[in-house]
């Protein structure tokens, strides 16, 4: 079965001197972040590593996690993850198992954990928003945590390869984007830890319920589940209103190919309004016909794009919060294994894609 497809100073990775690029910086492990005005991009390179041929991801050392400082004010409205060789030439996309970018300075919409900004797998391809409408604001001096896993099943060995994230970046001071937007997610495995869970045999469901920390509008959302998933929904429990409900699209063998995306904006409206005094629930429904439990066989995530109400700033993280600290240790690989890829699709009216997931057999 195939599963388809966001701080105490002492804990920060040391930031080293600039790497000689305009607007760039590098950390002690060799990661770097820099702006590329010619491409209108903000680029993150993870530290280089050798990729021996015929090597699955579980046998490889992962690139060290990098915490980097945003070099310039601006807005992100798209991204693409690649692997490049020592000369900067792109290598096959199949080398990418997954990539995560996390904002440790701000909290998630529904939890006091670090905000998830994006996730990708080798199937993701280029992701772009209408940049004149929506953009994720990033400010100089804020931090991002980048991590990835790679696997080289090809017959070629690659030396000093880097995982590279290229984000479409609009410098501050332009008359666009019209709306400051942020990704958000809510999954049935909240509050912290890995997103997948053991799927019991037969019919089952799993839910998580919470309230947003600030009011605003969800302008697009989609879902993610593994095979044997039948339905996923996001409901305003207080109002008794279903905001999103979707059944997966499967191929001829029954494997999930995608989960529908809903755009909630148009010429006459902007999104579904959610508020802190309402409770919201994500629920995923499964029907496992194998007669046995499937390890890591379940996952249920909804997420998308959120525009805070006018005048509302995205809340900073409370680093003293116990959930924040537990989550931080998890995605920094300091306890409980390591942060798994954040599943789901970036809805927002983008081309369909799936983030990487486990492969079950």
């Amino acid at each position: 079965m195939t599963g388809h497809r966001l701080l105490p100073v002492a804990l920060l990775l040391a930031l080293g001197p600039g790497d000689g690029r305009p607007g760039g910086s590098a950390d002690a492990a060799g990661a770097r972040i820099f702006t590329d005005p010619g491409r209108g991009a903000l680029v993150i390179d993870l530290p280089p590593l050798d990729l021996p041929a015929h090597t699955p991801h579980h046998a490889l050392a992962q690139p060290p996690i990098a915490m980097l400082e945003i070099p310039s004010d601006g807005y992100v409205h798209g991204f693409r993850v690649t692997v490049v060789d020592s000369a900067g030439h792109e290598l096959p996309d199949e080398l990418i198992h997954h990539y995560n970018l996390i904002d440790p300075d701000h909290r998630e919409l529904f939890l006091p954990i670090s905000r998830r900004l994006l996730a990708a797998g080798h199937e993701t391809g280029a992701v772009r928003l209408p940049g004149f409408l929506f953009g994720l604001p990033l400010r100089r001096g804020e931090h991002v945590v980048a991590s990835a896993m790679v696997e080289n099943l090809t017959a070629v060995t690659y030396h000093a390869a880097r995982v590279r994230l290229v984000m479409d970046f609009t410098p501050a001071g332009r008359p666009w984007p019209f709306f400051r937007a942020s990704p958000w997610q809510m999954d049935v495995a909240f509050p912290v830890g890995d997103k997948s869970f053991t799927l019991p045999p037969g019919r089952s469901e799993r839910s998580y319920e919470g309230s947003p920390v600030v009011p605003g509008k969800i302008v697009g959302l989609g879902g993610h589940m593994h095979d044997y998933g039948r339905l996923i929904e996001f409901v305003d429990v207080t109002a008794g209103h279903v905001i999103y409900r979707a059944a997966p699209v499967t191929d001829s063998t029954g494997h999930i190919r995608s989960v529908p995306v809903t755009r909630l904006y148009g010429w006459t409206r902007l999104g579904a309004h959610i508020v802190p005094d309402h409770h919201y629930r994500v629920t995923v429904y499964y029907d496992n016909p194998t007669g046995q439990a499937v390890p890591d066989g379940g996952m249920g995530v909804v997420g998308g794009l959120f525009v805070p109400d006018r005048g509302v700033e995205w809340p900073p993280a409370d680093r003293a919060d116990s959930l924040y600290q537990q989550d931080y240790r998890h995605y920094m690989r300091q306890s409980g294994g390591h942060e798994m890829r954040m599943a789901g699709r970036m809805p927002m009216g983008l081309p369909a894609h799936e983030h990487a997931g486990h492969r079950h057999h």
Side-chain angles (χ1 to χ4, degrees):
M1 180 175 71
T2 303
H4 297 277
R5 331 302 124 294
L6 136 124
L7 283 149
V9 175
L11 296 179
L12 299 183
L13 295 180
L15 294 178
D19 65 356
R21 300 171 184 264
S25 67
D27 76 359
R32 59 197 183 193
I33 183 170
F34 57 92
T35 55
D36 185 343
R39 284 198 289 179
L42 177 64
V43 182
I44 294 177
D45 281 345
L46 290 180
L49 75 166
D50 292 337
L51 303 178
H54 305 297
T55 307
H57 70 271
H58 57 75
L60 279 177
Q62 303 170 61
I65 293 175
M67 181 174 288
L68 295 162
E69 193 171 293
I70 300 298
S72 181
D73 294 349
Y75 298 86
V76 171
H77 57 92
F79 69 90
R80 181 167 180 254
V81 177
T82 63
V83 180
V84 298
D85 63 17
S86 58
H89 302 130
E90 290 193 12
L91 300 177
D93 286 343
E94 64 191 90
L95 298 175
I96 302 164
H97 186 267
H98 69 265
Y99 189 102
N100 289 333
L101 191 68
I102 295 176
D103 168 13
D105 295 338
H106 298 86
R107 58 162 285 164
E108 266 288 330
L109 183 61
F110 284 91
L111 276 178
I113 62 175
S114 298
R115 179 169 61 161
R116 272 55 178 171
L117 296 182
L118 62 87
H122 64 83
E123 303 94 337
T124 302
V127 173
R128 288 186 176 87
L129 292 166
F132 67 96
L133 274 180
F134 303 114
L136 166 66
L138 296 178
R139 297 293 174 257
R140 180 184 178 93
E142 294 178 345
H143 299 92
V144 288
V145 175
S147 63
M149 182 180 285
V150 290
E151 60 182 350
N152 184 11
L153 303 179
T154 75
V156 180
T157 294
Y158 300 102
H159 298 284
R162 289 181 182 266
V163 182
R164 172 171 289 176
L165 171 67
V166 180
M167 293 174 279
D168 299 321
F169 189 71
T170 301
R174 306 285 175 85
W176 61 86
F178 296 143
F179 302 105
R180 294 176 305 152
S182 176
W184 68 278
Q185 69 176 40
M186 189 177 188
D187 80 75
V188 299
F190 267 8
V192 296
D194 294 339
K195 307 306 179 186
S196 57
F197 55 89
T198 297
L199 183 66
R203 293 185 179 181
S204 63
E205 63 183 74
R206 187 158 172 167
S207 300
Y208 182 84
E209 186 173 313
S211 299
V213 66
V214 293
K217 293 182 177 180
I218 296 173
V219 298
L221 74 168
H224 174 85
M225 65 187 86
H226 284 175
D227 285 344
Y228 307 137
R230 296 295 179 254
L231 188 71
I232 190 166
E233 63 182 11
F234 179 64
V235 176
D236 182 337
V237 178
T238 304
H241 171 62
V242 176
I243 298 174
Y244 173 77
R245 177 180 288 150
V249 177
T250 59
D251 62 19
S252 59
T253 65
H255 294 317
I256 291 178
R257 298 290 300 267
S258 63
V259 179
V261 166
T262 297
R263 286 195 335 181
L264 300 175
Y265 63 91
W267 291 110
T268 59
R269 66 171 183 153
L270 180 70
H273 197 241
I274 63 173
V275 293
D277 60 353
H278 279 211
H279 290 275
Y280 302 85
R281 180 188 301 136
V282 57
T283 305
V284 66
Y285 301 88
Y286 278 89
D287 189 357
N288 171 11
T290 66
Q292 58 188 359
V294 181
D296 296 323
M299 187 177 286
V301 185
V302 292
L305 197 65
F306 176 80
V307 175
D309 282 353
R310 186 178 299 275
V312 174
E313 294 294 328
W314 197 269
D318 176 6
R319 294 175 174 85
D321 185 274
S322 61
L323 283 180
Y324 178 92
Q325 294 179 359
Q326 182 182 349
D327 177 61
Y328 176 86
R329 290 191 297 270
H330 183 73
Y331 68 71
M332 293 297 288
R333 304 174 189 159
Q334 295 174 352
S335 66
H338 60 80
E339 169 73 2
M340 304 302 291
R341 65 258 152 257
M342 294 174 290
R345 295 166 69 177
M346 298 282 287
M348 316 175 193
L350 300 170
H353 69 279
E354 293 291 339
H355 298 312
H358 280 299
R359 294 188 180 277
H360 306 292
H361 301 281

